[in-house]
Amino acid sequence: MSKKWEVIKKITDSGLVVVVRAENADEAKKITEACLKGGAAAIEITYTVPGATQVIEELAKEFMNEIIIGAGTVLDSETARIALLSGAEYVVSPYLSEEVLRLCNRYQVPCMPGAMTVEGVVRAMELGADIIKLFPGEAFGPKMIKAIKGPLPQANIMPTGGVSLDNVSDWIQAGAVAVGSGGSLTASSKTGDYQTITSLARQFVEKIKEARSS
């Protein structure tokens, strides 16, 4: 199995990607440690984080082979290439960028572009996206995945935005291959409470497993 498919399998097996918008590298490291303990498969460091490239580089070195580190809010191929050179193992974008997808395919790295329409999902698949990020998730709700997978049962969709412990089961039962969760999972880092993040990550993973088996 290639590294690309190993990454995709780990993400879909766990089902949880934690979106991190930390204030600095130290906070990002502590969130990552907490999520690792809770069973999350992957961390997504967004390019809204100050010094995101350095944060990705530090996390990639420290957590190599422990948890998958990816880059989020990637708006162009230049940023995608910098992220990959810094150690990012997957790339997430809030919209569909053909240039970002082509670059990721060139280096055989998973790319998850954002889409919010059937047309966007089809276009992303045609360009080689393995997982499509339904974004913003809160604007649609779980029913949107069912609606998309009606005509497109082959689409692998990961909602981000609006995913919480209260509705994660609904997203998975609607057909999501994984979910991306940010503030609802990591908010307690602002007060230095990382145990709560571990607990929430564990609960997310458990709910995902239960939803898949029901």
Side-chain angles (χ1 to χ4, degrees), residues 89-110:
E89 295 182 88
Y90 67 97
V91 169
V92 183
S93 178
Y95 78 112
L96 176 57
S97 164
E98 183 172 339
E99 290 77 16
V100 171
L101 257 172
R102 287 186 183 281
L103 182 133
C104 289
N105 288 334
R106 187 177 303 137
Y107 294 102
Q108 284 297 285
V109 173

Side-chain angles (χ1 to χ4, degrees), residues 20-23 27-28 30-31 185-194 196-197:
V20 177
R21 292 184 173 88
E23 297 295 325
E27 184 184 354
K30 288 176 180 175
I31 291 172
L185 205 160
T186 63
S188 64
S189 67
K190 303 305 176 191
T191 58
D193 177 8
Y194 295 95
T196 294
I197 294 174

